[in-house]
């Protein structure tokens, strides 16, 4: 009896704050079980409690449990929750991502996996670099066969568990070519002991498949397998789970078909659907109550996702009151958007809120730049998750390396970085010779090269190639010397060949990198506009903009970001935000072309994935959501007019509230630039009901004017362009009629 009582007490701390279906899931008899439920319904909570249940009630040892999460952050959180519940460290418990777990297995069984003990992981950048070399060795023209496309092919094959030998020969030359590249690339990886991301999973799968005794060992060890975010597993991950779960198996998976957002990376929402076929006797439990968000947020998310077809369908409700309407903010431009967001966060903090409870979520990494800038200006600690910080990205480092060489020919790391980027036929042997000479003569690589060009040590081909490089840098310097900084940056990016190189990389990354390069031009323009001579050390009388800017870039790449434990604003892409929650969520850049992304808007299937991403975004919020869009944005290096995203319209108007612009002088890091004479004229001269003409929107009537000086904006009704628009007067050319 005493035993039973203590058991009941034990169990109550696991089950007390769960609803009935949640409790049913946590306490289900061992065996395959699937929890299918919408955002914020407690799937992750249930999975965590299930682990506690297994340990405390089923007497499972921590060793026998394997839990898979989607990010390392989520894994760390899950472990600490369980440890806190049981009040003890659980060293034997394996919690991690698929990649992390596969890596761990391969480290432990490197011999069986036929890997060198010190095998290294190839990140996607390294992978592309290696593929470039492979393409060159195979005499494949990089222009016709972009390395990123080859990488895409290889990664897809690995996700589908295909080795070069079993790539399906569909008879097309393209497929044969791809297969040949894959085979050579793979040989190269084996020879150098390199393992790419896809290889981690495939190797770990093959390790078990080919070593039945090892597999049995792990099947016996991991009696309990739990997987969060199951809707985003791909083929190899799914098969890996199947292989591991022996018979009988206790597999516990949770997921939401409406949150499948990695289709572009091979994840298959069908996996969660076919689970019940592949795991006989599987039970399904649905959770319908949402505990995260207010009624309004939930209704907004439900209405938006209802536009998708082929859903499993769910009925998600909440007990919470309606709460605040979804706040919609139409910004003048991207700077205004960022200032608005930071100002709202400041107010939140002033009234006792924590910074870590606020998140700025964007579609593409390039958008983070302006937020970093404004956050730094407002001295507000922040942290960017995932993705490299702007000045650390490879393409930005490439561009900066050229600029540094323009500023200082003797900058050896920059020389090394770009001497053969874009490729100009300078091989490893030539580089070694340059390095040896520089070392022997204690001079810079640049000087060594110049000296070697005077002698006979270099072959005529190599001499030609390095001379081209030296001439290029000299020309970049000479031709841009008299230009203002942004033009100079733009010139160097264009004429170094970087722009073309990245723009012609056909896969996702190339486009993104080209966008980032354009953003560097914008950054330099803003840098000059807001440069504070005291901070940057520029001589106000005659600033050396190039060097001041380069110093700024170098300093900023190392610091400023808050440390892990600090209370700071959270910045990440929508993809990274899956599974997380925050009191205040700012969804920024909800503009057609940006979100849904240009690429995805045309295809229904991709558009639906974008919409699921929007659904993920909205459902991250507990208390309040802001949907922000800018009317003008510096994008692809130029100022463009933007339309609000269709996803803004898909949120019922009754649930939303428009936020009026309020310019807060305190927030501005520096004084705004003085109004240009033309802008002052334009702002001063506009009157209510005045008729105007705009080059793109045609004739219109001024309905409202607000703001002041540089920030003056006018609402103008343009019948031909579909109604009223807010325009920033200083940026807009309007003819008065
Ligand atoms: P997502 O789909 O976004 O991953 P989820 O289904 O995993 O969401 P959780 O993150 O587990 O949902 O839970 C959402 C929030 O609701 C969390 O703050 C969690 O603590 C809380 N919650 C879940 N169930 C309950 C409950 N029965 N009582 C009170 N709060 C709960
Ligand atoms: Mg979750």
């Amino acid at each position: 009896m005493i035993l039973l009582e203590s058991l009941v007490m034990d169990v109550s701390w696991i089950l007390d704050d769960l609803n009935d279906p949640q409790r049913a899931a946590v306490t289900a008899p061992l065996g395959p079980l699937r929890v299918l439920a919408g955002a914020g319904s407690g799937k992750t909570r249930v999975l965590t409690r299930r682990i506690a249940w297994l340990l405390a009630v089923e007497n499972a040892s921590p060793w026998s449990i394997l839990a898979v999460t989607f990010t390392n952050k989520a894994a760390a959180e899950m472990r600490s929750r369980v440890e806190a519940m049981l009040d003890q460290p659980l060293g034997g418990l394996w919690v991690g991502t698929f990649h992390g777990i596969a890596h761990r297995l391969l480290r432990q069984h490197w011999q069986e996996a036929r890997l060198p003990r010190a095998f290294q992981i190839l990140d996607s950048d390294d992978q592309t670099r290696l593929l470039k070399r492979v393409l060159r060795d195979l005499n494949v023209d990089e222009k016709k066969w972009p390395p990123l496309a080859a990488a895409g092919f290889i990664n897809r094959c690995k996700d589908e568990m295909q080795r070069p030998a079993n790539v399906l020969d569909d008879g097309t030359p393209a497929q044969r070519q791809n297969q040949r590249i894959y085979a050579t690339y793979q040989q190269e990886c084996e020879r150098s002991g390199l393992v790419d991301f896809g290889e981690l999973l495939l190797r770990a799968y093959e390790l078990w498949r080919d070593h039945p005794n090892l597999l049995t060992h792990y099947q016996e060890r991991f009696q309990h397998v739990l997987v969060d975010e199951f809707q985003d597993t791909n083929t190899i991950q799914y098969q890996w789970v199947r292989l591991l779960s022996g018979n009988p198996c206790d597999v516990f998976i949770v997921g939401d078909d409406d949150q499948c957002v990695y289709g572009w990376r091979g994840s298959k929402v069908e996996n969660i659907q076919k689970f019940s076929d592949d795991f006989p006797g599987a039970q399904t439990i649905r959770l319908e109550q949402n505990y995260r968000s207010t009624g309004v947020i939930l209704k907004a998310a439900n209405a938006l996702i209802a536009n998708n077809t082929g859903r499993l369908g769910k009925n998600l409700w909440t007990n919470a009151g309606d709460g605040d309407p979804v706040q919609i903010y139409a910004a003048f431009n991207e700077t205004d958007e960022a200032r608005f967001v930071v100002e709202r966060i400041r107010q939140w903090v002033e009234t006792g809120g924590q910074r870590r409870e606020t998140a700025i979520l964007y579609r593409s990494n390039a958008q983070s730049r302006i937020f970093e800038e404004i956050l730094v200006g407002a001295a507000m600690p922040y942290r960017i998750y995932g993705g490299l910080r702007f000045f650390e990205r490879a393409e930005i480092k490439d561009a900066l390396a050229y600029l540094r060489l323009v500023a200082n020919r003797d900058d050896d790391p920059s020389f090394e970085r770009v001497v053969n980027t874009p490729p100009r036929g300078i091989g490893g042997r030539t580089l070694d010779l340059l390095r040896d000479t520089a070392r022997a003569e204690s001079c810079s690589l640049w000087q060594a090269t110049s000296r070697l060009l005077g002698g006979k040590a270099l072959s005529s081909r190599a001499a030609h190639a390095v001379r081209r490089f030296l001439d290029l840098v000299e020309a970049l310097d000479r031709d841009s010397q008299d230009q203002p900084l942004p033009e100079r940056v733009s010139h160097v990016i264009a004429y170094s060949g970087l722009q073309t190189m990245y723009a012609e990389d056909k896969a996702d990354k190339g486009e993104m990198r080209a966008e980032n390069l354009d953003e560097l031009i914008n950054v330099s323009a803003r840098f000059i506009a807001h440069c504070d001579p005291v901070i940057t050390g520029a001589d106000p009388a005659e600033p050396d903009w190039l060097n001041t800017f380069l110093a700024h870039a170098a300093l900023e790449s190392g610091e400023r970001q808050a440390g892990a434990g600090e209370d700071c604003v959270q910045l990440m892409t929508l993809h990274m935000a899956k599974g997380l929650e925050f009191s205040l969520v700012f969804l920024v850049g909800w503009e057609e072309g940006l979100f849904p992304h240009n690429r995805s808007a045309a295809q229904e299937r991709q558009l639906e994935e974008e919409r699921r991403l929007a659904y993920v975004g909205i459902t991250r919020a507990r208390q309040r959501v802001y949907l922000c869009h800018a009317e003008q944005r510096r994008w692809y290096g130029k100022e463009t007019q933007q339309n609000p995203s269709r996803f803004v319209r898909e949120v019922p108007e009754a649930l939303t509230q428009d936020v009026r612009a309020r310019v807060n002088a305190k927030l501005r890091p520096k004084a705004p630039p003085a109004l240009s004479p033309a802008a002052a004229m334009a702002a001063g001269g506009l009157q209510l009901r005045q008729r105007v003409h705009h080059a793109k929107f045609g004739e219109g009537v001024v309905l409202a004017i607000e703001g002041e000086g540089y920030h003056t904006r006018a609402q103008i009704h343009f019948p031909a362009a579909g109604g009223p628009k807010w325009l920033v007067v200083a940026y807009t050319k309007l003819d008065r009629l």
Side-chain angles (χ1 to χ4, degrees):
M1 245 12 236
I2 288 168
L3 201 80
L4 193 63
E5 222 163 69
S6 73
L7 189 70
V8 169
M9 272 177 51
D10 268 352
V11 173
S12 72
W13 57 257
I14 301 180
L15 301 179
D16 260 3
D17 49 359
L18 297 179
N19 64 28
D20 288 346
Q22 288 179 333
R23 215 171 274 177
V26 170
T27 61
L30 300 186
L33 183 128
R34 162 176 79 167
V35 176
L36 202 57
S41 58
K43 294 183 297 298
T44 303
R45 175 187 269 219
V46 160
L47 193 139
T48 311
R49 296 293 169 93
R50 172 72 169 184
I51 298 176
W53 175 266
L54 292 172
L55 292 167
V57 180
E58 297 282 355
N59 281 323
S61 121
W63 283 83
S64 68
I65 297 176
L66 174 71
V68 187
T69 59
F70 214 74
T71 60
N72 292 313
K73 187 168 183 271
E77 218 167 278
M78 188 169 290
R79 173 186 293 283
S80 70
R81 289 244 168 107
V82 179
E83 289 182 342
M85 267 190 283
L86 284 127
D87 201 19
Q88 57 173 301
L90 299 164
L93 181 73
W94 278 33
V95 191
T97 62
F98 277 111
H99 286 106
I101 290 165
H103 176 241
R104 189 163 171 181
L105 278 170
L106 294 178
R107 282 272 170 237
Q108 235 151 56
H109 304 287
W110 53 276
Q111 273 165 317
E112 291 94 329
R114 292 172 292 103
L115 285 170
R117 182 176 208 148
F119 74 86
Q120 292 301 311
I121 298 176
L122 209 57
D123 70 18
S124 22
D125 273 344
D126 304 338
Q127 186 186 37
T128 320
R129 260 167 217 256
L130 180 56
L131 270 164
K132 282 189 178 173
R133 214 167 75 211
V134 167
L135 292 174
R136 227 172 305 135
D137 292 349
L138 289 174
N139 278 322
V140 177
D141 182 358
E142 234 185 67
K143 295 230 166 53
K144 298 199 184 108
W145 220 275
L148 277 171
F153 178 83
I154 292 168
N155 297 341
R156 264 195 313 281
C157 285
K158 291 190 175 178
D159 285 348
E160 293 296 321
M161 311 195 300
Q162 287 168 348
R163 287 296 180 191
N166 30 59
V167 168
L168 216 60
D169 185 357
D170 62 3
T172 62
Q175 184 86 340
R176 292 220 180 111
Q177 176 80 297
N178 266 330
Q179 182 190 17
R180 196 163 69 104
I181 295 167
Y182 179 13
T184 315
Y185 163 84
Q186 196 54 38
Q187 276 166 13
E188 199 66 24
C189 286
E190 306 278 336
R191 216 166 39 77
S192 350
L194 296 171
V195 173
D196 60 40
F197 291 148
E199 186 73 19
L200 283 173
L201 300 175
L202 186 51
R203 272 291 162 119
Y205 175 81
E206 290 172 345
L207 173 71
W208 284 343
R209 187 198 57 193
D210 301 341
H211 298 86
N213 51 337
L214 257 185
L215 176 62
T216 315
H217 166 78
Y218 279 102
Q219 281 175 340
E220 281 169 4
R221 170 174 175 177
F222 293 126
Q223 299 277 319
H224 313 281
V225 179
L226 305 96
V227 188
D228 198 2
E229 308 272 0
F230 198 77
Q231 75 278 357
D232 271 321
T233 53
N234 62 24
T235 301
I236 179 96
Q237 292 165 344
Y238 185 80
Q239 291 308 332
W240 194 81
V241 171
R242 276 192 75 179
L243 198 59
L244 176 61
S245 355
N247 199 9
C249 67
D250 181 42
V251 186
F252 190 97
I253 65 151
V254 308
D256 175 8
D257 59 308
D258 286 332
Q259 294 187 65
C260 175
V261 292
Y262 281 97
W264 55 278
R265 231 167 59 180
S267 76
K268 296 221 164 76
V269 69
E270 299 92 273
N271 286 343
I272 199 165
Q273 290 160 350
K274 70 179 192 197
F275 180 81
S276 47
D277 303 332
D278 288 336
F279 293 83
Q283 229 202 106
T284 298
I285 290 182
R286 289 170 193 271
L287 311 175
E288 298 193 326
Q289 181 169 1
N290 171 296
Y291 289 92
R292 179 180 293 147
S293 313
T294 65
V296 161
I297 291 170
L298 204 56
K299 280 182 213 157
N302 283 344
L304 176 107
I305 198 67
N307 291 289
N308 271 6
T309 56
R311 303 168 52 218
L312 290 175
K314 278 177 294 270
N315 171 27
L316 206 55
W317 57 277
T318 176
N319 251 339
D322 269 354
D324 304 332
V326 173
Q327 311 283 308
I328 298 190
Y329 182 65
F332 312 124
N333 56 25
E334 78 278 11
T335 309
D336 178 39
E337 180 184 54
R339 288 203 178 134
F340 168 77
V341 168
V342 174
E343 167 62 14
R344 287 297 149 126
I345 296 176
R346 197 185 55 74
Q347 288 171 4
W348 163 262
V349 173
E350 258 180 25
T351 52
Q354 286 191 306
R355 283 184 285 265
R356 68 168 66 87
E357 273 302 321
T358 67
I360 305 173
L361 308 180
Y362 34 81
R363 174 68 181 87
S364 106
N365 275 311
Q367 284 169 262
S368 66
R369 174 65 223 161
I370 179 74
F371 288 96
E372 279 192 68
E373 217 168 279
I374 304 293
L375 285 161
V376 167
M380 172 104 59
Y382 66 95
R383 188 176 170 84
I384 298 190
Y385 290 91
L388 289 174
R389 302 195 42 239
F390 187 76
F391 283 123
E392 290 162 4
R393 291 173 188 154
E395 63 278 15
I396 299 300
K397 284 202 295 204
D398 288 345
L400 290 174
Y402 272 105
L403 286 163
R404 298 171 92 104
L405 281 176
V406 162
N408 166 22
R409 306 286 189 279
D410 296 334
D411 182 336
D412 280 355
S414 297
F415 184 101
E416 289 244 25
R417 183 166 184 99
V418 290
V419 65
N420 202 34
T421 308
R424 48 178 72 86
I426 298 174
R429 219 161 343 129
T430 308
L431 259 177
D432 284 343
L433 184 59
L434 299 183
R435 285 192 200 107
D436 290 346
T437 311
R439 211 172 304 127
E441 308 204 2
S442 320
C443 62
S444 69
L445 284 165
W446 181 278
Q447 289 169 12
T449 312
S450 309
R451 283 178 208 174
L452 281 170
L453 281 173
K456 295 221 161 7
L458 287 165
S459 73
S460 65
R461 242 183 75 185
H464 179 68
V466 291
R467 175 164 290 124
R468 260 180 58 209
F469 176 66
L470 298 198
D471 290 349
L472 171 67
V473 174
E474 293 290 359
L476 289 176
D477 187 7
R478 198 179 50 240
D479 297 344
S480 70
Q481 224 161 43
D482 300 318
Q483 298 175 2
L485 181 66
E487 272 77 355
R488 206 164 186 197
V489 173
S490 163
H491 181 94
V492 166
I493 289 175
Y495 289 93
S496 61
L498 289 176
Q499 188 91 328
T500 321
M501 180 180 88
Y502 284 120
E504 284 178 2
D505 264 343
K506 284 289 171 283
D508 289 3
K509 274 284 190 59
E511 196 179 319
M512 183 191 86
R513 287 169 196 274
E515 284 174 20
N516 283 339
L517 285 176
D518 286 334
E519 181 65 12
L520 183 65
I521 305 169
N522 303 341
V523 167
S524 69
R526 285 197 290 261
F527 176 73
I528 291 192
H530 300 294
C531 173
D532 184 337
V534 179
I535 295 173
T536 51
D539 175 357
E542 204 176 333
D544 173 355
W545 286 119
L546 179 58
N547 272 318
T548 319
F549 180 61
L550 288 172
H552 163 76
L555 288 173
E556 226 200 287
S557 70
E559 291 171 32
R560 292 262 165 83
Q561 233 184 315
E566 206 177 330
D567 177 31
C568 49
V569 179
Q570 316 276 305
L571 276 79
M572 66 194 85
T573 61
L574 288 161
H575 280 100
M576 276 293 297
K578 212 159 52 104
L580 306 180
E581 60 187 25
F582 311 91
S583 295
L584 229 57
V585 169
F586 297 89
L587 300 166
V588 298
W590 279 41
E591 293 143 39
E592 283 294 307
L594 199 56
F595 186 49
H597 200 281
N598 271 332
R599 236 179 309 115
S600 314
Q603 277 195 359
E604 197 54 29
R605 201 171 49 81
Q606 290 177 13
L607 179 64
E608 295 208 342
E609 180 149 318
E610 295 280 295
R611 192 176 281 113
R612 289 195 289 270
L613 206 48
Y615 175 79
V616 166
I618 295 178
T619 54
R620 294 314 93 203
R622 291 202 196 99
Q623 286 180 28
R624 214 172 226 232
V625 177
Y626 290 86
L627 301 184
C628 307
H629 61 93
E631 282 156 2
Q632 297 189 28
R633 182 176 292 274
R634 255 191 174 274
W635 199 239
Y636 293 98
K638 57 175 190 279
E639 205 75 67
T640 54
Q641 296 282 338
Q642 300 285 92
N643 287 319
S645 166
R646 70 193 75 192
F647 300 148
V648 175
R649 280 198 309 274
E650 291 176 8
V651 174
E653 224 179 308
L655 303 173
T656 67
Q657 178 180 28
D658 285 333
V659 185
R660 298 243 101 188
R662 223 168 289 134
V663 180
N664 189 314
K666 257 194 289 175
L667 237 197
R668 281 186 217 139
K670 285 117 203 162
L675 208 55
S676 74
M681 276 269 294
L686 271 194
Q687 286 170 2
L688 288 180
R689 297 218 191 108
Q690 181 158 37
R691 286 180 45 234
V692 294
H693 182 268
H694 183 274
K696 191 166 150 208
F697 304 135
E699 272 192 31
V701 180
V702 178
L703 299 181
I705 302 175
E706 62 179 43
E708 57 184 49
Y710 210 67
H711 288 274
T712 307
R713 61 180 198 159
Q715 189 188 34
I716 304 174
H717 181 63
F718 293 105
K725 288 186 191 306
W726 283 99
L727 298 174
V728 181
V729 177
Y731 295 157
T732 316
K733 189 168 163 356
L734 288 171
D735 294 322
R736 267 161 271 150
L737 298 175

